[in-house]
Amino acid sequence: MLGVFSSSIVSPPEELVAAGSRTPSPKITAGALLKRFVESKPSSVSVQIGEDAQLAYTHHSETPWQPRSFAVKEEIFCMFEGALDNLGSLKQQYGLAKSANEVLLTIEAYKALRDRAPYPANRVVGHLSGSFAFILFDKSTSTLFVASDQAGKVPLYWGITADGYVAFADDADILKGACGKSLAAFPQGCFYNTAVGGLRCYENPKNKITAVPAEEEEIWGATFKVEGPAVVAATE
């Protein structure tokens, strides 16, 4: 799956911008990246959302335990990859039909976050148990919501294209050569929500997330890590 968003939706993370500046390397535009995805992934479906957001996905090469799904409801667009262990109990919690799948559940959970303020975003994703990654865009509010499971069982990556769009994908190869060194693995157990101010850890949302510059030989420009609480060393 691939999601590409202009700077009017999401500001390019400074750490990725800096990483790309340290080691200049080839990039392509968001439009060229989307074209690369569609041409290289059999049976791809792409969706243009206004002028500032593009989504694409395919069921090709997905696994039974990590299926990909897509849904749109009330101008909320969502791509979901993976499976939730507690889908049944969450469907009851949100009053969904028995036939509802993970992507519909994610949309309903987001709506609860949006419409029942103040409802913490970390609580929404913290209730999801399983292996997953999702990319959700609410056209009505221009809100982007992206998350990865705590163990990083479903890979997710993000980078910056030549024309300043921020791209998210479950396939690192599709972003290589498109984002140069402005590319990193999306940190596991974290979410990115433009409504709450960017990247957060959903287990400890107040903990700072830092970007460590990668070595020159690595394909990544940076590695994002969640800092733990300060520990005071005991002295004799």
Side-chain angles (χ1 to χ4, degrees), residues 51-70:
E51 298 180 354
D52 300 305
Q54 296 170 304
L55 303 177
Y57 71 98
T58 178
H59 291 295
H60 181 73
S61 75
E62 70 180 16
T63 62
W65 53 90
Q66 288 186 357
R68 302 184 189 99
S69 51
F70 171 77

mmCIF file of all heavy atoms in Angstrom, residues 51-70:
data_model
loop_
_atom_site.group_PDB
_atom_site.id
_atom_site.type_symbol
_atom_site.label_atom_id
_atom_site.label_comp_id
_atom_site.label_asym_id
_atom_site.label_seq_id
_atom_site.Cartn_x
_atom_site.Cartn_y
_atom_site.Cartn_z
ATOM 1 N N GLU A 51 -6.504 17.482 -4.420
ATOM 2 C CA GLU A 51 -5.217 17.785 -5.046
ATOM 3 C C GLU A 51 -4.032 17.395 -4.183
ATOM 4 O O GLU A 51 -2.884 17.464 -4.625
ATOM 5 C CB GLU A 51 -5.129 19.285 -5.365
ATOM 6 C CG GLU A 51 -6.187 19.778 -6.345
ATOM 7 C CD GLU A 51 -6.051 21.264 -6.635
ATOM 8 O OE1 GLU A 51 -5.212 21.909 -5.976
ATOM 9 O OE2 GLU A 51 -6.773 21.763 -7.513
ATOM 10 N N ASP A 52 -4.290 16.988 -2.945
ATOM 11 C CA ASP A 52 -3.191 16.850 -1.992
ATOM 12 C C ASP A 52 -2.966 15.454 -1.445
ATOM 13 O O ASP A 52 -2.067 15.253 -0.625
ATOM 14 C CB ASP A 52 -3.419 17.809 -0.808
ATOM 15 C CG ASP A 52 -3.479 19.255 -1.255
ATOM 16 O OD1 ASP A 52 -2.530 19.693 -1.902
ATOM 17 O OD2 ASP A 52 -4.485 19.929 -0.951
ATOM 18 N N ALA A 53 -3.739 14.466 -1.859
ATOM 19 C CA ALA A 53 -3.574 13.122 -1.318
ATOM 20 C C ALA A 53 -3.837 12.074 -2.387
ATOM 21 O O ALA A 53 -4.754 12.218 -3.200
ATOM 22 C CB ALA A 53 -4.506 12.895 -0.135
ATOM 23 N N GLN A 54 -3.016 11.029 -2.369
ATOM 24 C CA GLN A 54 -3.163 9.918 -3.297
ATOM 25 C C GLN A 54 -2.926 8.615 -2.543
ATOM 26 O O GLN A 54 -1.984 8.514 -1.744
ATOM 27 C CB GLN A 54 -2.155 10.029 -4.451
ATOM 28 C CG GLN A 54 -2.355 11.254 -5.333
ATOM 29 C CD GLN A 54 -1.204 11.447 -6.304
ATOM 30 O OE1 GLN A 54 -0.053 11.536 -5.899
ATOM 31 N NE2 GLN A 54 -1.515 11.490 -7.591
ATOM 32 N N LEU A 55 -3.767 7.631 -2.797
ATOM 33 C CA LEU A 55 -3.629 6.312 -2.181
ATOM 34 C C LEU A 55 -3.575 5.255 -3.275
ATOM 35 O O LEU A 55 -4.178 5.419 -4.337
ATOM 36 C CB LEU A 55 -4.802 6.011 -1.251
ATOM 37 C CG LEU A 55 -5.089 6.992 -0.108
ATOM 38 C CD1 LEU A 55 -6.339 6.544 0.641
ATOM 39 C CD2 LEU A 55 -3.906 7.102 0.837
ATOM 40 N N ALA A 56 -2.848 4.179 -3.010
ATOM 41 C CA ALA A 56 -2.800 3.061 -3.946
ATOM 42 C C ALA A 56 -2.570 1.771 -3.170
ATOM 43 O O ALA A 56 -1.882 1.768 -2.151
ATOM 44 C CB ALA A 56 -1.696 3.272 -4.982
ATOM 45 N N TYR A 57 -3.153 0.691 -3.660
ATOM 46 C CA TYR A 57 -2.977 -0.595 -2.991
ATOM 47 C C TYR A 57 -3.212 -1.725 -3.985
ATOM 48 O O TYR A 57 -3.733 -1.528 -5.088
ATOM 49 C CB TYR A 57 -3.939 -0.733 -1.802
ATOM 50 C CG TYR A 57 -5.390 -0.914 -2.207
ATOM 51 C CD1 TYR A 57 -5.970 -2.180 -2.246
ATOM 52 C CD2 TYR A 57 -6.180 0.178 -2.570
ATOM 53 C CE1 TYR A 57 -7.292 -2.352 -2.619
ATOM 54 C CE2 TYR A 57 -7.499 0.020 -2.943
ATOM 55 C CZ TYR A 57 -8.048 -1.253 -2.976
ATOM 56 O OH TYR A 57 -9.352 -1.418 -3.366
ATOM 57 N N THR A 58 -2.811 -2.911 -3.591
ATOM 58 C CA THR A 58 -3.053 -4.101 -4.394
ATOM 59 C C THR A 58 -3.180 -5.300 -3.463
ATOM 60 O O THR A 58 -2.607 -5.316 -2.367
ATOM 61 C CB THR A 58 -1.910 -4.351 -5.399
ATOM 62 O OG1 THR A 58 -2.166 -5.560 -6.128
ATOM 63 C CG2 THR A 58 -0.567 -4.500 -4.679
ATOM 64 N N HIS A 59 -3.937 -6.285 -3.893
ATOM 65 C CA HIS A 59 -4.035 -7.532 -3.129
ATOM 66 C C HIS A 59 -2.975 -8.538 -3.579
ATOM 67 O O HIS A 59 -2.849 -9.609 -2.979
ATOM 68 C CB HIS A 59 -5.426 -8.146 -3.290
ATOM 69 C CG HIS A 59 -6.511 -7.354 -2.633
ATOM 70 N ND1 HIS A 59 -6.576 -7.172 -1.270
ATOM 71 C CD2 HIS A 59 -7.575 -6.664 -3.153
ATOM 72 C CE1 HIS A 59 -7.632 -6.420 -0.973
ATOM 73 N NE2 HIS A 59 -8.242 -6.105 -2.090
ATOM 74 N N HIS A 60 -2.215 -8.176 -4.605
ATOM 75 C CA HIS A 60 -1.183 -9.077 -5.121
ATOM 76 C C HIS A 60 -0.106 -9.316 -4.065
ATOM 77 O O HIS A 60 0.350 -8.386 -3.412
ATOM 78 C CB HIS A 60 -0.546 -8.476 -6.379
ATOM 79 C CG HIS A 60 0.509 -9.340 -6.993
ATOM 80 N ND1 HIS A 60 0.210 -10.483 -7.683
ATOM 81 C CD2 HIS A 60 1.867 -9.225 -7.006
ATOM 82 C CE1 HIS A 60 1.329 -11.040 -8.118
ATOM 83 N NE2 HIS A 60 2.354 -10.302 -7.718
ATOM 84 N N SER A 61 0.272 -10.534 -3.883
ATOM 85 C CA SER A 61 1.346 -10.982 -2.982
ATOM 86 C C SER A 61 1.027 -10.787 -1.499
ATOM 87 O O SER A 61 1.917 -10.915 -0.658
ATOM 88 C CB SER A 61 2.685 -10.297 -3.314
ATOM 89 O OG SER A 61 2.710 -8.947 -2.886
ATOM 90 N N GLU A 62 -0.216 -10.482 -1.159
ATOM 91 C CA GLU A 62 -0.563 -10.397 0.257
ATOM 92 C C GLU A 62 -0.665 -11.799 0.842
ATOM 93 O O GLU A 62 -0.899 -12.775 0.126
ATOM 94 C CB GLU A 62 -1.873 -9.637 0.463
ATOM 95 C CG GLU A 62 -3.111 -10.369 -0.009
ATOM 96 C CD GLU A 62 -4.394 -9.573 0.208
ATOM 97 O OE1 GLU A 62 -4.309 -8.365 0.438
ATOM 98 O OE2 GLU A 62 -5.478 -10.184 0.124
ATOM 99 N N THR A 63 -0.472 -11.900 2.156
ATOM 100 C CA THR A 63 -0.527 -13.205 2.812
ATOM 101 C C THR A 63 -1.863 -13.373 3.538
ATOM 102 O O THR A 63 -2.511 -12.373 3.883
ATOM 103 C CB THR A 63 0.616 -13.349 3.830
ATOM 104 O OG1 THR A 63 0.459 -12.349 4.855
ATOM 105 C CG2 THR A 63 1.966 -13.166 3.161
ATOM 106 N N PRO A 64 -2.284 -14.615 3.811
ATOM 107 C CA PRO A 64 -3.565 -14.829 4.497
ATOM 108 C C PRO A 64 -3.608 -14.194 5.888
ATOM 109 O O PRO A 64 -4.675 -13.808 6.358
ATOM 110 C CB PRO A 64 -3.662 -16.357 4.585
ATOM 111 C CG PRO A 64 -2.798 -16.868 3.479
ATOM 112 C CD PRO A 64 -1.677 -15.887 3.381
ATOM 113 N N TRP A 65 -2.460 -14.114 6.540
ATOM 114 C CA TRP A 65 -2.435 -13.555 7.899
ATOM 115 C C TRP A 65 -2.143 -12.055 7.921
ATOM 116 O O TRP A 65 -2.219 -11.426 8.955
ATOM 117 C CB TRP A 65 -1.416 -14.307 8.763
ATOM 118 C CG TRP A 65 -0.047 -14.396 8.164
ATOM 119 C CD1 TRP A 65 0.987 -13.524 8.317
ATOM 120 C CD2 TRP A 65 0.436 -15.417 7.290
ATOM 121 N NE1 TRP A 65 2.084 -13.930 7.599
ATOM 122 C CE2 TRP A 65 1.775 -15.102 6.964
ATOM 123 C CE3 TRP A 65 -0.134 -16.585 6.757
ATOM 124 C CZ2 TRP A 65 2.553 -15.911 6.117
ATOM 125 C CZ3 TRP A 65 0.650 -17.372 5.922
ATOM 126 C CH2 TRP A 65 1.972 -17.039 5.617
ATOM 127 N N GLN A 66 -1.824 -11.481 6.755
ATOM 128 C CA GLN A 66 -1.632 -10.039 6.659
ATOM 129 C C GLN A 66 -2.314 -9.513 5.397
ATOM 130 O O GLN A 66 -1.669 -8.979 4.499
ATOM 131 C CB GLN A 66 -0.144 -9.669 6.657
ATOM 132 C CG GLN A 66 0.529 -9.847 8.005
ATOM 133 C CD GLN A 66 1.967 -9.324 8.017
ATOM 134 O OE1 GLN A 66 2.494 -8.880 7.007
ATOM 135 N NE2 GLN A 66 2.596 -9.381 9.168
ATOM 136 N N PRO A 67 -3.643 -9.660 5.317
ATOM 137 C CA PRO A 67 -4.363 -9.168 4.133
ATOM 138 C C PRO A 67 -4.413 -7.643 4.115
ATOM 139 O O PRO A 67 -4.256 -6.983 5.143
ATOM 140 C CB PRO A 67 -5.760 -9.762 4.309
ATOM 141 C CG PRO A 67 -5.908 -9.893 5.793
ATOM 142 C CD PRO A 67 -4.544 -10.260 6.301
ATOM 143 N N ARG A 68 -4.610 -7.088 2.936
ATOM 144 C CA ARG A 68 -4.775 -5.641 2.786
ATOM 145 C C ARG A 68 -6.238 -5.349 2.480
ATOM 146 O O ARG A 68 -6.893 -6.078 1.732
ATOM 147 C CB ARG A 68 -3.907 -5.097 1.646
ATOM 148 C CG ARG A 68 -2.429 -5.372 1.818
ATOM 149 C CD ARG A 68 -1.607 -4.716 0.715
ATOM 150 N NE ARG A 68 -0.226 -5.153 0.767
ATOM 151 C CZ ARG A 68 0.296 -6.101 -0.016
ATOM 152 N NH1 ARG A 68 -0.479 -6.692 -0.914
ATOM 153 N NH2 ARG A 68 1.553 -6.439 0.091
ATOM 154 N N SER A 69 -6.750 -4.267 3.043
ATOM 155 C CA SER A 69 -8.138 -3.887 2.798
ATOM 156 C C SER A 69 -8.237 -2.373 2.676
ATOM 157 O O SER A 69 -7.401 -1.628 3.205
ATOM 158 C CB SER A 69 -9.064 -4.410 3.901
ATOM 159 O OG SER A 69 -8.573 -4.052 5.184
ATOM 160 N N PHE A 70 -9.275 -1.935 1.976
ATOM 161 C CA PHE A 70 -9.488 -0.509 1.726
ATOM 162 C C PHE A 70 -10.966 -0.205 1.878
ATOM 163 O O PHE A 70 -11.819 -0.999 1.477
ATOM 164 C CB PHE A 70 -9.021 -0.142 0.320
ATOM 165 C CG PHE A 70 -9.387 1.260 -0.105
ATOM 166 C CD1 PHE A 70 -8.671 2.353 0.365
ATOM 167 C CD2 PHE A 70 -10.455 1.481 -0.958
ATOM 168 C CE1 PHE A 70 -9.002 3.634 -0.016
ATOM 169 C CE2 PHE A 70 -10.804 2.760 -1.347
ATOM 170 C CZ PHE A 70 -10.075 3.853 -0.875
#
